[in-house]
Amino acid sequence: MKVRVLVRLKPGVLDPQGRAVHHALEGLGFAGVEDVRVGRLIELDVADDTDPAALTEMCEKLLANTVIENFTIETGEGGK
Amino acid sequence: MGFRAAVITFPGSNCDRDMAVALEAVSGQPAIRVWHGDADLPDRLDLIALPGGFSYGDYLRSGAMAAMSPIMRAVVAAAERGVPVLGVCNGFQVLTEARLLPGALMRNAGQRFICRTVKLTVENTDSLFTAGFTAGEALHIPVAHHDGNYFADSETLDRLEAEGRIAFRYAEPVNGSARDIAGVLSENGRVLGMMPHPERAIEPAAVTALGGADGRRLFENILSALASA
């Protein structure tokens, strides 16, 4: 089973990378970009009977740092 | 009995030797070198030092992989028993990832790697690491990091301030750190994480090219605290 974990900085946590990318986009002449936040996509291939709770635990223990990041887990069709 | 300090080496640590040299220079006792894959620490340790570097190539997040290594289970258990732990730079990142210290170290606000001597202000003078300093005193210690931008939510920051757990602040903004925090203590004051490198500032003050000697005093503080304990 394919699983996609999206890790994003929590709202309110400043994202220096996103800000630099934002500036670069403006430098390239793209107008109207309001904000840029850089996150991380982690694709896992796990056994079909993997317990969703185990996926959550993987995120909390390692894949995301919940001090600064939120995560969402997509499985099945969304996870493709 | 001699001072027993262990220096942990992770794949990608690069300040482990400097840390061992500093500990030996100050204590006269060779530091015990411990590999990240070891499951156990030597017994009767007076100090565990987590050195700077780029453990596991900073994969995922700085310090995240090292925090999961076998030896860190032993380090967490030792810290819970009250064994002093000093984490410098990447070692500080590992301590936050292992949840021995609150908060996280994010990419520097200016995106750049910063490598220079910075001025710090001593905030805490109660811990075994800081008891020899004077409150408000200025220290000059080098930093060398890309991810030193300390973040914690405002409740946590308020709690750290109220409990006197901010060990050092940058005297002026360096990397975007919340409230200019450069070093943080655990609740019991026996775990210190700091971005500046005291082990790079152990030579006599006259040799300023080598970072001065303010870092040496931190190690001397540890020794005197243990001697009087």
Side-chain angles (χ1 to χ4, degrees):
Chain A
M1 172 174 68
K2 304 278 193 200
V3 176
R4 290 153 58 97
V5 174
L6 273 165
V7 181
R8 295 182 177 91
L9 282 176
K10 287 182 176 175
V13 176
L14 280 177
D15 178 8
Q17 263 190 96
R19 204 164 48 186
V21 172
H22 190 180
H23 285 316
L25 287 172
E26 286 174 339
L28 287 169
F30 292 103
V33 181
E34 299 287 336
D35 193 20
V36 178
R37 310 273 292 168
V38 175
R40 182 186 292 116
L41 168 66
I42 301 167
E43 294 182 319
L44 310 175
D45 198 348
V46 300
D48 287 348
D49 58 354
T50 301
D51 183 351
L55 290 172
T56 303
E57 204 183 342
M58 289 178 205
C59 291
E60 287 170 345
K61 282 197 167 163
L62 180 63
L63 303 181
N65 179 343
T66 54
V67 174
I68 48 172
E69 295 167 332
N70 288 330
F71 59 86
T72 53
I73 300 170
E74 295 174 3
T75 51
E77 284 309 299
K80 248 197 323 187
Chain B
M1 198 154 40
F3 176 70
R4 278 170 65 84
V7 177
I8 315 290
T9 299
F10 301 99
S13 294
N14 63 11
C15 302
D16 45 339
R17 186 177 174 281
D18 289 15
M19 181 65 83
V21 167
L23 288 165
E24 181 164 357
V26 176
S27 72
Q29 304 290 327
I32 306 164
R33 308 293 295 272
V34 178
W35 182 237
H36 74 109
D38 294 349
D40 300 309
L41 286 163
D43 56 2
R44 295 182 292 106
L45 287 177
D46 296 310
L47 178 73
I48 300 166
L50 306 184
F54 299 86
S55 55
Y56 296 86
D58 282 349
Y59 287 179
L60 197 63
R61 296 175 304 274
S62 307
M65 309 304 291
M68 303 299 144
S69 64
I71 198 65
M72 280 308 294
R73 280 193 284 274
V75 171
V76 170
E80 283 167 357
R81 290 196 309 273
V83 178
V85 181
L86 169 66
V88 168
C89 198
N90 188 224
F92 185 10
Q93 295 160 347
V94 174
L95 288 174
T96 59
E97 284 285 345
R99 306 290 165 94
L100 281 174
L101 292 174
L105 281 314
M106 301 185 55
R107 181 53 46 102
N108 292 341
Q111 288 285 342
R112 291 173 187 244
F113 192 95
I114 300 169
C115 186
R116 62 182 166 91
T117 295
V118 300
K119 188 173 161 189
L120 303 175
T121 309
V122 174
E123 296 287 329
N124 170 300
T125 54
D126 296 333
S127 76
L128 73 145
F129 305 98
T130 57
F133 298 132
T134 321
E137 181 183 359
L139 303 179
H140 293 85
I141 297 185
V143 295
H145 60 247
H146 211 162
D147 296 331
N149 179 355
Y150 185 76
F151 176 89
D153 59 44
S154 52
E155 275 166 48
T156 304
L157 293 170
D158 290 344
R159 198 179 73 236
L160 291 175
E161 304 241 20
E163 294 174 355
R165 289 169 55 190
I166 297 169
F168 309 107
R169 279 187 228 265
Y170 302 107
E172 66 250 3
V174 168
N175 51 23
S177 282
R179 303 189 193 178
D180 292 320
I181 290 172
V184 168
L185 290 157
S186 61
E187 207 166 351
N188 67 2
R190 297 180 75 79
V191 179
L192 170 66
M194 60 190 291
M195 289 312 295
H197 287 269
E199 80 284 5
R200 294 191 190 179
I202 61 155
E203 300 300 335
V207 194
T208 47
L210 290 176
D214 283 350
R216 184 182 194 97
R217 292 174 55 207
L218 184 129
F219 296 104
E220 288 168 350
N221 288 342
I222 300 171
L223 282 167
S224 6
L226 292 171
S228 61

